[in-house]
Amino acid sequence: MGFTSSNQHHLLSKIATNDRHGENSPYFDGWKAYDSDPFSPTHNPHGVIQMGLAENLLCFDLIQDWIKKNPKASICSREGVDGFKDIAIFQDYHGLPDFRKAVAKFMGRVRGGRVTFNPDRIVMSGGATGANEVIAFCLADPGDAFLVPTPYYPAFDRDLGWRAGVQLVPVACDSSNDFKITEAALEAAYEQAQDANIKVKGLLITNPSNPLGTIFDRETLRSLVSFINKKNIHLICDEIYTATVFSEPNFVSIAEIIEEDMECNRDLIHIVYSLSKDMGLPGFRVGIVYSYNDAVVNCGRKMSSFGLVSTQTQHLIASMLLDDEFVERFVAESAKRLAIRHKAFTMGLLQVRISCLKSNAGLFCWMNLRRLLNESTVEAELALWRLIIDEVKLNVSPGSSFHCSEPGWFRVCFANMDDDTMEVAIRRIQTFVQRKEAVLVAGN
Amino acid sequence: MGFTSSNQHLLSKIATSLGHGEESPYFDGWKAYDKDPFNPTQNPNGVIQMGLAENPLCFDLIQEWIKKNPKASICTAEGVDEFKDIAIFQDYHGLPEFRNAVAKFMGRARGGRVTFDPDRIVMSGGATGANELIAFCLADPGDAFLVPSPYYPAFDRDLKWRTGVQLVPVPCHSSNDFKITKAALETAYEKAQEANIKVKGLIITNPSNPLGTILDRETLRTLVSFINEKNIHLICDEIYAATVFTDSNFVSIAEILSEDIACNRDLIHIVYSLSKDMGLPGFRVGIVYSYNDEVVNSGRKMSSYGLVSTQTQHLIASMLLDEEFTERFIIESAKRLATRHGVFTRGLAKVNIDCLNSNAGLFCWMDLHRLLKESTVEAELALWRLIIHEVKLNVSPGSSFHCSEPGWFRVCFANMDEETMEVALQRIHTFVHQKETVVPTKNKKLWRSNLRTLSFSSRRLGLDEVALMSPHSPIPHSPLLHART
């Protein structure tokens, strides 16, 4: 399905014919390898194991259990079908009141009840993908920029840049201080943008971080708030991994910081959220924009028409998340299971002296393979990566696809497979590392 | 929640523009309804909602099907084992069975006269998302689409707001029943050229909103010929395809394509949805169907911004793969729409109010120009405000559809129960009688001769004595906040 000549370029828009959808990035080569040779313990034990997908599959038993006990949450069950019509014809972009209430409640609960959220600020979107784009359309004009600390989620380039035309200006972070964002790095990036005549409209952070799996400490968050207030730019906090925090220290949401900080201009603060990671329901496309700026709520709500959540799903989610006892249990159990997975994986790596960045959140590890590189370059990293895909048969994600400034880091997802598969993956890594090190030693 | 001046600076141009379209008087009627909604028992003098093109007439059929097909849901005891696989599926190709089912249904809604390829089915956030997606794929900011008027008001938002695309109207007139003429197309195209506006496509809604008419074969062929000649796209919003309620077969652009091989298929795109044909607007099932491979490819990537919930994909797939059900549903829906349309238009005819002769859609295009003081938009809006505040009906003024002739109103007839429609008709009767008694003498003669003309007009739909009384509908008044489009 390629392009015919210049005809298509003339016929279609620039957006349709440019590369900003991001799918030509090598990031997707791993996907293709997996798709053509997927691992299956019984049918294809030598296939590629998918470790590039940040999914949370660990607690479906709890959800299915709840569903069996709560048939009225569905408009298709005998108990719930009388509500079918009213739900199916409801298309108000405010969303079902119960849905907004339930999401606001859940957002508070996954922050340990330390903050509360106002249901009237909950704006729906087509997944977090749609939420990021809505935020970009509301806050920036085409050509404007957001600062974004690296390494960052690859699809930000598409979400913010493809149709909304927002540029991303990286704020480099490196391992010398565990990839923390420094004020110096922010200022440098901001000035670089100014020098290039690029108008910076905001700073976008992901907290907990993808791909790092780390959370921001209070001090850093305060300095970010101070920075954006000083520059009068927005702070967009993608908090999509909030409930994946599985050990101390406690997650600190931007919502908490502004509760404490009376001087912050709230019109600058916006949260992006979703149920895709915390609850493991990416198929349901429950994206949320939560803004402290009334005009953004208003505008975002009008824009949500382009990506509302199906009322069938709103209704189900509302019932589920209004069940306090279930939510409490789910969040606690999910964190527990993630902690176990994380530990098993990181310990397995340590056995061959592979370390990961110390992390306490997310569905992945930020694995340090720098010592396996021939040289500290992106090319060497990609060469190693292709080796891992083709020989070790693991689809992991190279740090360069996250715009990491230091070669040699890889994001490895651990929550999207069963225990046995993870065992296989760990063994393969161990074998590979041992072999590679033997080669390196021999080479010396 | 207004703008502070610092906010203007803080937000984007898109956010601070009025491109969302909600400042239009179109929404005043909504506000009036929201404040004072009609309820037969609790608020019998409230505003009746006739501005919402909804199709709730066949929910009994759907609910019955759902009771008999518990596996269609991932939440029933019978279906819950599939919950996990469905909930984690986020591939923008969509569930294969969903694409199969929608392609099949689209064919069936066109009487089986054409078939659709499941691999060309691209999801979007309702038809709202589909329209925007098509604009993003085909046009750059500043480019334009030609659009025959009167047209669906939200096209202004869907096609223009975030995309920066312009709309150039192609005015249509009652003199030929609002048909699109080649002359009008050429004129609009040339006007755009002269203003240095690059026209990238022509967008039509067929069946038409607000007219309720369908395009005949000849017109469709003319359009295809026109766009091929200019090498511009043809976007066909066929969202009302299954609302055609009389025998005239709906001719989809898909049919024309299957006949006319001189057309460049890369120029042809269909927008579809289940919101009208099946009455499921809450489920946000929007579809872009393009004959252009690159548009399918690109559109599919863009669908990430507005995929259909897999919970809903799964339900819809099961439902629409049930051919016996869809066959029965489409026939019964058409029947019930025909009945409604008949009752309503005959009720209007009793007070000599004409509607444009139509056989599709969820509304009538009502002609009230003889009630206008003068043939201007101001007079139309004055009449409209009267209708909202005194007659207490939320109907939609033609000017909000960019109609070039004042005096036309779109009135929805499918979104209420029979008793409510009865009340609405009674109110209209009362209003017309009152208004006509105060028509100034000098116009009375003209009015009477018009009336005689109208009596024999081919546009009249008959004066049968129809019993408007009907048993109270079991459809309850919804306690939920109602929609805005």
Side-chain angles (χ1 to χ4, degrees):
Chain A
M1 267 202 188
F3 276 113
T4 61
S5 65
S6 57
N7 201 23
Q8 290 287 31
H9 279 272
H10 164 73
L11 269 187
L12 305 191
S13 65
K14 294 192 178 77
I15 286 175
T17 50
N18 70 25
D19 252 357
R20 292 187 80 174
H21 50 69
E23 289 191 24
N24 293 336
S25 133
Y27 181 61
F28 292 92
D29 289 348
W31 282 95
K32 294 166 191 163
Y34 170 76
D35 280 342
S36 49
D37 184 21
F39 171 83
S40 156
T42 43
H43 303 307
N44 191 17
H46 298 294
V48 177
I49 297 178
Q50 176 61 281
M51 305 191 86
L53 187 50
E55 272 178 352
N56 184 0
L57 303 190
L58 304 183
C59 286
F60 271 104
D61 56 325
L62 299 181
I63 295 181
Q64 281 179 223
D65 189 60
W66 185 91
I67 284 177
K68 287 180 185 162
K69 298 192 176 128
N70 293 272
K72 290 195 85 173
S74 165
I75 51 175
C76 294
S77 63
R78 256 185 354 261
E79 295 87 337
V81 74
D82 287 339
F84 186 92
K85 180 186 170 191
D86 283 344
I87 296 294
I89 60 176
F90 184 86
Q91 54 179 327
D92 185 327
Y93 57 33
H94 289 82
L96 293 170
D98 276 352
F99 172 77
R100 276 185 286 119
K101 221 167 84 180
V103 171
K105 209 169 193 178
F106 184 74
M107 285 174 71
R109 193 161 282 278
V110 297
R111 288 157 182 75
R114 295 181 291 279
V115 274
T116 54
F117 291 86
N118 177 357
D120 291 336
R121 292 193 177 283
I122 301 279
V123 170
M124 295 181 283
S125 60
T129 301
N132 287 325
E133 194 192 43
V134 163
I135 270 291
F137 272 124
C138 284
L139 305 182
D141 295 324
D144 288 348
F146 288 160
L147 300 175
V148 57
T150 67
Y152 65 83
Y153 168 56
F156 274 159
D157 290 305
R158 170 198 64 188
D159 295 355
L160 301 157
W162 193 20
R163 304 190 313 181
V166 171
Q167 302 190 59
L168 295 184
V169 172
V171 180
C173 303
D174 57 61
S175 60
S176 60
N177 69 339
D178 290 330
F179 294 93
K180 289 202 169 120
I181 307 171
T182 64
E183 206 174 332
L186 282 171
E187 290 285 357
Y190 187 83
E191 268 161 48
Q192 222 182 40
Q194 302 275 76
D195 290 339
N197 256 325
I198 295 171
K199 189 161 34 144
V200 174
K201 290 305 288 285
L203 165 64
L204 166 67
I205 62 170
T206 308
N207 179 29
S209 163
N210 175 14
L212 305 175
T214 52
I215 60 177
F216 285 54
D217 56 62
R218 230 180 194 83
E219 196 187 321
T220 306
L221 284 168
R222 284 198 192 117
S223 75
L224 297 184
V225 167
S226 166
F227 175 80
I228 59 113
N229 271 274
K230 195 172 29 149
K231 307 286 192 227
N232 198 31
I233 62 177
H234 295 278
L235 180 60
I236 304 110
C237 305
D238 186 337
E239 297 194 345
I240 197 180
Y241 288 99
T242 298
T244 69
V245 177
F246 52 76
S247 64
E248 304 260 293
N250 272 341
F251 175 64
V252 181
S253 163
I254 194 66
E256 263 189 82
I257 299 297
I258 64 170
E259 286 297 308
E260 304 165 349
D261 180 353
M262 289 298 114
E263 281 170 24
C264 176
N265 177 1
R266 286 174 166 230
D267 280 343
L268 300 174
I269 311 292
H270 322 274
I271 297 176
V272 162
Y273 190 58
S274 156
L275 298 183
S276 300
K277 311 295 179 183
D278 283 357
M279 293 217 65
L281 306 172
F284 289 179
R285 314 315 298 151
V286 183
I288 302 291
V289 175
Y290 188 96
S291 175
Y292 290 88
N293 181 319
D294 291 351
V296 172
V297 171
N298 249 326
C299 181
R301 187 154 279 142
K302 293 173 172 63
M303 286 190 187
S304 66
S305 295
F306 298 109
L308 295 169
V309 177
S310 167
T311 47
Q312 177 186 22
T313 299
Q314 287 187 45
H315 181 79
L316 171 66
I317 294 301
S319 305
M320 204 184 287
L321 301 189
L322 283 174
D323 183 340
D324 289 343
E325 188 273 334
F326 166 74
V327 165
E328 181 115 33
R329 202 163 28 94
F330 180 91
V331 173
E333 187 62 25
S334 176
K336 217 161 98 181
R337 296 179 189 184
L338 282 169
I340 293 172
R341 269 300 169 90
H342 175 266
K343 187 158 184 205
F345 190 68
T346 47
M347 305 238 66
L349 292 180
L350 276 178
Q351 282 174 15
V352 283
R353 297 179 309 115
I354 300 274
S355 63
C356 293
L357 182 69
K358 182 153 189 266
S359 66
N360 68 327
L363 308 172
F364 30 72
C365 291
W366 190 234
M367 186 170 67
N368 183 354
L369 297 184
R370 284 185 299 169
R371 75 171 197 274
L372 298 183
L373 292 188
N374 290 331
E375 42 175 30
S376 183
T377 61
V378 173
E379 290 69 32
E381 175 186 287
L382 291 176
L384 175 60
W385 175 57
R386 266 177 236 113
L387 212 64
I388 296 175
I389 291 183
D390 298 325
E391 289 187 20
V392 193
K393 304 274 198 110
L394 301 175
N395 180 28
V396 299
S397 313
S400 47
S401 64
F402 296 86
H403 306 272
C404 186
S405 53
E406 265 179 43
W409 294 88
F410 290 78
R411 189 192 77 172
V412 194
C413 299
F414 56 69
N416 64 308
M417 65 195 67
D418 59 39
D419 291 326
D420 292 335
T421 307
M422 195 170 78
E423 276 301 304
V424 175
I426 292 174
R427 275 202 307 270
R428 287 186 189 178
I429 295 176
Q430 289 170 340
T431 309
F432 169 72
V433 171
Q434 280 154 353
R435 262 202 338 240
K436 192 93 171 72
E437 283 187 322
V439 167
L440 282 172
V441 164
N444 289 341
Chain B
M1 271 201 188
F3 281 115
T4 60
S5 59
S6 61
N7 235 353
Q8 296 275 129
H9 162 73
L10 271 186
L11 306 190
S12 66
K13 294 192 179 76
I14 283 174
T16 50
S17 76
L18 295 175
H20 50 72
E22 290 192 23
E23 300 301 307
S24 137
Y26 181 60
F27 291 92
D28 289 347
W30 282 95
K31 294 167 191 163
Y33 169 76
D34 281 342
K35 284 204 203 98
D36 184 21
F38 171 83
N39 178 290
T41 43
Q42 286 154 359
N43 190 17
N45 294 320
V47 176
I48 296 178
Q49 176 60 280
M50 304 192 86
L52 185 50
E54 269 179 353
N55 184 6
L57 300 182
C58 286
F59 271 108
D60 56 326
L61 299 182
I62 295 180
Q63 281 177 226
E64 195 199 302
W65 185 91
I66 283 177
K67 287 181 186 157
K68 296 195 179 126
N69 292 273
K71 291 196 83 171
S73 163
I74 53 175
C75 295
T76 56
E78 296 86 337
V80 74
D81 288 340
E82 282 199 83
F83 186 92
K84 178 181 168 187
D85 285 343
I86 297 294
I88 62 175
F89 185 86
Q90 52 179 328
D91 184 336
Y92 58 32
H93 289 82
L95 294 170
E97 57 271 25
F98 172 76
R99 277 185 287 119
N100 280 341
V102 171
K104 211 165 197 174
F105 184 74
M106 286 174 71
R108 193 157 283 276
R110 290 154 183 74
R113 293 180 293 279
V114 273
T115 54
F116 291 86
D117 177 0
D119 291 337
R120 292 193 177 282
I121 300 279
V122 170
M123 295 181 283
S124 59
T128 300
N131 285 324
E132 191 191 49
L133 192 150
I134 263 292
F136 270 125
C137 284
L138 305 181
D140 294 324
D143 289 348
F145 289 152
L146 300 176
V147 55
S149 66
Y151 63 84
Y152 168 56
F155 272 163
D156 289 319
R157 170 197 64 190
D158 297 354
L159 299 163
K160 293 166 54 174
W161 189 21
R162 307 190 308 180
T163 61
V165 170
Q166 307 189 58
L167 291 183
V168 173
V170 182
C172 302
H173 306 280
S174 60
S175 52
N176 70 337
D177 291 332
F178 294 95
K179 289 199 170 128
I180 309 167
T181 64
K182 184 130 195 252
L185 283 171
E186 291 284 359
T187 304
Y189 186 83
E190 269 161 46
K191 230 163 70 162
Q193 301 275 79
E194 278 156 31
N196 255 326
I197 296 170
K198 191 165 27 146
V199 174
K200 291 303 289 284
L202 163 66
I203 177 160
I204 61 171
T205 307
N206 180 31
S208 163
N209 175 14
L211 305 175
T213 51
I214 59 178
L215 296 183
D216 56 61
R217 227 179 199 86
E218 193 186 325
T219 305
L220 282 166
R221 287 204 187 110
T222 304
L223 300 183
V224 167
S225 160
F226 175 79
I227 58 114
N228 272 274
E229 191 198 324
K230 306 286 191 237
N231 199 30
I232 62 175
H233 296 278
L234 180 61
I235 305 116
C236 304
D237 186 338
E238 297 194 346
I239 197 179
Y240 289 98
T243 68
V244 178
F245 53 76
T246 65
D247 286 336
S248 329
N249 276 335
F250 170 63
V251 182
S252 162
I253 193 66
E255 256 190 89
I256 301 296
L257 268 198
S258 67
E259 300 162 359
D260 185 334
I261 49 174
C263 177
N264 177 2
R265 297 167 81 95
D266 279 343
L267 300 174
I268 311 293
H269 323 274
I270 297 176
V271 162
Y272 189 59
S273 157
L274 298 183
S275 300
K276 311 295 180 183
D277 283 356
M278 294 217 65
L280 307 171
F283 290 179
R284 315 314 299 150
V285 183
I287 302 291
V288 174
Y289 187 97
S290 176
Y291 290 88
N292 182 319
D293 291 351
E294 276 318 309
V295 173
V296 170
N297 247 325
S298 192
R300 187 156 279 140
K301 293 175 172 62
M302 282 189 196
S303 65
S304 297
Y305 300 109
L307 296 171
V308 177
S309 167
T310 47
Q311 177 187 19
T312 299
Q313 286 187 46
H314 181 80
L315 171 66
I316 293 302
S318 305
M319 203 184 290
L320 301 188
L321 283 174
D322 183 343
E323 289 178 33
E324 187 275 331
F325 168 73
T326 57
E327 177 117 33
R328 199 163 33 93
F329 180 92
I330 289 171
I331 291 172
E332 187 61 26
S333 175
K335 220 159 96 183
R336 295 181 190 184
L337 283 170
T339 303
R340 269 303 169 93
H341 176 267
V343 168
F344 191 68
T345 48
R346 284 191 295 272
L348 291 180
K350 278 180 151 185
V351 284
N352 300 317
I353 294 191
D354 275 355
C355 291
L356 183 69
N357 199 0
S358 68
N359 68 330
L362 308 172
F363 31 73
C364 290
W365 190 234
M366 186 170 68
D367 183 0
L368 297 184
H369 81 273
R370 73 167 201 275
L371 298 183
L372 293 188
K373 290 206 170 82
E374 43 176 28
S375 183
T376 61
V377 172
E378 290 71 31
E380 175 186 285
L381 291 177
L383 174 59
W384 175 57
R385 267 178 235 114
L386 212 65
I387 296 176
I388 291 183
H389 297 302
E390 288 188 21
V391 192
K392 303 265 195 120
L393 301 176
N394 179 29
V395 299
S396 311
S399 48
S400 65
F401 296 85
H402 306 274
C403 186
S404 53
E405 272 175 44
W408 293 87
F409 290 79
R410 189 192 77 171
V411 194
C412 299
F413 56 69
N415 64 308
M416 65 196 68
D417 59 38
E418 283 154 9
E419 196 182 75
T420 307
M421 193 165 81
E422 159 73 5
V423 175
L425 282 169
Q426 269 163 15
R427 289 184 188 180
I428 294 174
H429 288 176
T430 310
F431 172 69
V432 172
H433 285 318
Q434 274 171 359
K435 195 103 170 61
E436 290 183 332
T437 58
V438 301
V439 167
T441 326
K442 65 171 174 157
N443 282 342
K444 233 182 190 159
K445 267 197 181 142
L446 191 62
W447 167 73
R448 281 195 192 284
S449 69
N450 280 349
L451 189 57
R452 264 195 297 272
T453 314
L454 287 171
S455 306
F456 300 106
S457 160
S458 59
R459 292 191 299 161
R460 275 274 286 273
L461 296 169
L463 275 177
D464 304 336
E465 292 296 339
V466 176
L468 292 176
M469 291 305 296
S470 60
H472 180 78
S473 162
I475 303 169
H477 179 76
S478 171
L480 299 172
L481 197 57
H482 270 289
R484 290 206 153 261
T485 49

